[in-house]
Each structure stands twice: as C-alpha cells, then as structure tokens.
Amino acid sequence: MYLHESRFVQVIAPILDRPAGSRYKLSEIREMVKEEERSLTAEQKEQAVKDLLQHRETRHTGVRANNAAAARDALSSVEKITKELDALFERTGMCSTLFITRSHVNDTFHTSWFATNNDGLDFWEDVMHLRPDDISRHYEQSACAIGKNLAQRDSLENMQKEAIKYINTGLNFTTGKTIRMNYSNYDVGIVETHKVKLIGWPDGVPFITPSNIGTVGEVRKLRDALKSGTCHWKCLTQQESSLHAEELQQRRKAGEVVGTTRKARSDAGTARSSKRKAAGPDRNKENQRTKKKSKAAASQSHPKRTMYKSAETVESSDEDDDDEESDTEEPETTHQK
C-alpha cells in the first residue's frame, strides 16, 4: 500500500457516513480511496504523503498528553527494549545494562534497571563497588532535582532554549570552532566565512533567533526538526562554496545589501594621532610623577641598610707581632767577675 493511500485511509475512515453500529471493512475503505484518488492532482498527493510522514513523526516523538499516558508509553516501550536486549544477548552474546528513571516527582512510572545476565551485575558490584539499586536511587534523585514535568518541558521559554542549544552545538561541532550563530549576517558571517550551512529549516518558521519567535507552534516545530536531525548543519564542498560566493557577488552587483556592515566612524577619512602624542607634555609629567611615587613606595617597603666605611689605614699583622715581641724581650744582664 502506498503512503498516500495510508494517509487517505486515515483521513477518510473517521468521517465516512455510515449507520450507527455498522463498520466498513478496510478493503471497502481502500476502494473508496482509489475512487477519491483519481480526482486528486500530483501536488495534492505529494502533500498527502508529507502529512502522513509528519503524523508518524508526531506519534513517534510527540510529548504525551498527560502523566498517565506517559507512564503507559514508558511501560510498553521498556518492555519492548528489554525483550530486544535479551534477544540480542541470545543471538550475539552482547551484554548490556539498562537504567530507567523518572525525571520529575509528578511522573507516575517507577525507576528500574535491567541486565541481560549475571555478569553485568558482577561488574557493578565487584569492579565498580556499586549496587544497581543504589545507582538507580541516585540516578532518580539527580534527575528529579533538575527535571521538568510535561508542561515545563514544552513551555515556550524552554523550547526556545533547546532550539538555541541545538543550533549552536551543531555549529561548533561542524566547524570545530567555538562560535555563535549570526542570523543577521548569516550568508557572509557563517556560510561564506566558515563554509557551513544550516539546511532543513522548517517551512513557515521565520529565520531568526528562536528567542524572538513568540509562537509556541513555530518554536516546537523548529525544536522537533533540530532534535530529529531534519534540520542540521552541513559542511559545504569547494564547488558549493564557490557557487555561494558567486551568488553573493551577483546580489551585490544587483544593488542588494548582503549582510550587515559596521557603522562608520564620525571622523572617518581624517588622520588620527596616537593617544600618547595627543596627551602632550602633561601626560609625560604625570608619568614622571608616577615613577617617583613608585620609587618612594619601594624605598619605604625595603629600607636601606646602614653601611660602615672602612679606616683609611690598617695596621698589618706583622707590625703587631713585632710590637708584642719587643714588649716581651728581657733586658740583657751583665755578670761581673
């Protein structure tokens, strides 16, 4: 069955005029769809396919209406995941551990964990020295401390922040540089300079910063496109970059102002002297005073030591020894016979 047939069945089935309590078979609805399809143009069929794909994407990633619906979805999804992991272990021997927790205190589903075999439990307890129950409890505490309920996750302010984060993170990852998105000068400052381009921007959403989009539906549409990868950054090839540069050049020749230019100075075109020369001799005097003050402060912090001058003449040690010897000599005595 074609995609547009599925869309027609989905739209026509609820509105068919039939008696109360009666029901059309799917084959009968398909016959009605074929008759209706003959009167549609190619554009209408293409639009039907787009509507069907959007409907499937909404069912797959759309936020549930309330906490009870979210709990039922979580329970059924976790059951499917655990069965797939068990089957994967049986087929390939791949081990896995899964931790699941709620992200808000008002959520009704419970925190749990899953391991394919006992080896996974032995790893957490013997190697990491942590019990899976303790990990789940701490995981739940952390998630609920920073978590948001369904209404907060889909608020205008929160979706704007998410969209800005997706755009800037993707830009930095693609370019390998830490730069910010420039919407007013996008063609020159982003595409031409960094050779990257944001493709898949949703139709009907203005190309401005998400913080200036005031409609919840438009912000949600942009956030969902960025989250699913429909809207993403792409590196331009050399040929694509050259074509973009030629396109900008043609737009400039046609008189179109491409990007934004910096405002010219009021004294543009006149010669300007440096700040030191413009300051004059008064500035030099201030510098000299500052130097004197710094020297005075340094002298106070490090006082000078007292220096003693040496004597003009120093008696040698030989003369001192001669004097001592002369003082200790005894006078010669004469003995008369």
Side-chain angles (χ1 to χ4, degrees):
M1 185 171 58
Y2 297 101
L3 288 175
H4 58 271
E5 292 181 357
S6 300
R7 177 58 179 169
F8 294 152
V9 171
Q10 176 189 353
V11 174
I12 293 177
I15 62 176
L16 288 175
D17 186 13
R18 59 184 183 273
S22 63
R23 180 180 300 177
Y24 285 108
K25 296 181 180 180
L26 181 60
S27 59
E28 296 175 348
I29 297 177
R30 287 179 179 175
E31 291 296 331
M32 297 178 185
V33 167
K34 289 181 180 180
E35 295 178 0
E36 184 71 19
E37 183 182 358
R38 297 188 185 97
S39 62
L40 298 179
T41 62
E43 291 78 8
Q44 291 175 336
K45 293 180 181 179
E46 184 179 356
Q47 184 62 37
V49 173
K50 292 182 180 180
D51 294 341
L52 176 61
L53 295 177
Q54 182 66 31
H55 174 73
R56 291 179 177 177
E57 182 67 22
T58 303
R59 290 187 59 186
H60 183 66
T61 61
V63 178
R64 296 301 174 251
N66 49 53
N67 290 333
R72 290 193 298 268
D73 188 5
L75 183 62
S76 61
S77 299
V78 170
E79 185 178 358
K80 294 177 182 178
I81 293 173
T82 54
K83 290 182 179 179
E84 289 292 334
L85 293 177
D86 280 332
L88 181 64
F89 173 74
E90 295 294 335
R91 296 194 308 267
T92 63
M94 180 179 293
C95 301
S96 60
T97 305
L98 176 66
F99 291 95
I100 305 163
T101 183
R102 56 180 180 171
S103 59
H104 195 269
V105 293
N106 293 333
D107 294 335
T108 56
F109 52 87
H110 300 285
T111 301
S112 61
W113 58 270
F114 168 80
T116 52
N117 59 345
N118 293 329
D119 295 338
L121 302 180
D122 296 338
F123 168 77
W124 293 106
E125 295 179 358
D126 299 340
V127 180
M128 303 301 296
H129 304 289
L130 296 171
R131 295 178 55 191
D133 294 335
D134 297 334
I135 298 175
S136 299
R137 185 177 66 256
H138 291 301
Y139 189 21
E140 181 183 11
Q141 292 174 354
S142 176
C144 291
I146 62 176
K148 300 178 178 64
N149 57 24
L150 295 177
Q152 292 173 334
R153 283 198 291 266
D154 259 5
S155 64
L156 176 62
E157 182 181 0
N158 189 62
M159 288 190 295
Q160 288 174 341
K161 292 180 180 179
E162 290 182 5
I164 293 173
K165 182 179 179 181
Y166 282 128
I167 292 173
N168 290 327
T169 303
L171 177 60
N172 295 336
F173 178 79
T174 306
T175 59
K177 303 176 183 178
T178 305
I179 56 179
R180 303 286 293 180
M181 178 60 173
N182 189 348
Y183 295 91
S184 60
N185 200 24
Y186 169 75
D187 289 330
V188 178
I190 300 297
V191 181
E192 186 178 23
T193 303
H194 300 286
K195 307 295 187 299
V196 294
K197 190 175 183 180
L198 184 61
I199 62 176
W201 190 273
D203 297 333
V205 180
F207 190 75
I208 57 177
T209 174
S211 59
N212 292 336
I213 301 177
T215 306
V216 176
E218 293 179 348
V219 177
R220 181 184 290 110
K221 189 176 182 180
L222 176 60
R223 190 274 311 268
D224 293 342
L226 292 167
K227 186 176 181 179
S228 63
T230 306
C231 181
H232 61 277
W233 288 98
K234 174 189 175 182
C235 292
L236 299 181
T237 62
Q238 187 67 30
Q239 182 179 3
E240 292 174 342
S241 180
S242 301
L243 292 175
H244 180 76
E246 293 177 1
E247 181 184 353
L248 293 181
Q249 189 65 23
Q250 292 176 0
R251 291 167 58 184
R252 293 189 180 98
K253 289 180 180 180
E256 181 181 351
V257 178
V258 180
T260 57
T261 58
R262 297 182 61 181
K263 185 179 180 181
R265 292 172 59 106
S266 59
D267 56 349
T270 59
R272 295 183 294 273
S273 59
S274 61
K275 293 183 179 180
R276 292 184 178 180
K277 293 181 180 180
D282 296 336
R283 182 65 179 175
N284 296 333
K285 291 181 181 180
E286 292 180 0
N287 292 337
Q288 293 177 0
R289 292 174 183 173
T290 305
K291 292 180 180 180
K292 290 180 180 180
K293 290 180 181 180
S294 60
K295 289 182 179 179
S299 62
Q300 293 178 1
S301 59
H302 302 286
K304 296 181 179 179
R305 296 180 180 179
T306 305
M307 304 298 291
Y308 298 95
K309 295 182 178 181
S310 60
E312 296 181 358
T313 59
V314 180
E315 296 180 357
S316 62
S317 58
D318 296 337
E319 294 178 357
D320 295 338
D321 294 339
D322 294 341
D323 292 341
E324 291 177 359
E325 290 179 359
S326 60
D327 293 338
T328 55
E329 285 182 356
E330 295 181 357
E332 295 180 358
T333 55
T334 55
H335 299 279
Q336 296 180 358
K337 293 181 180 179

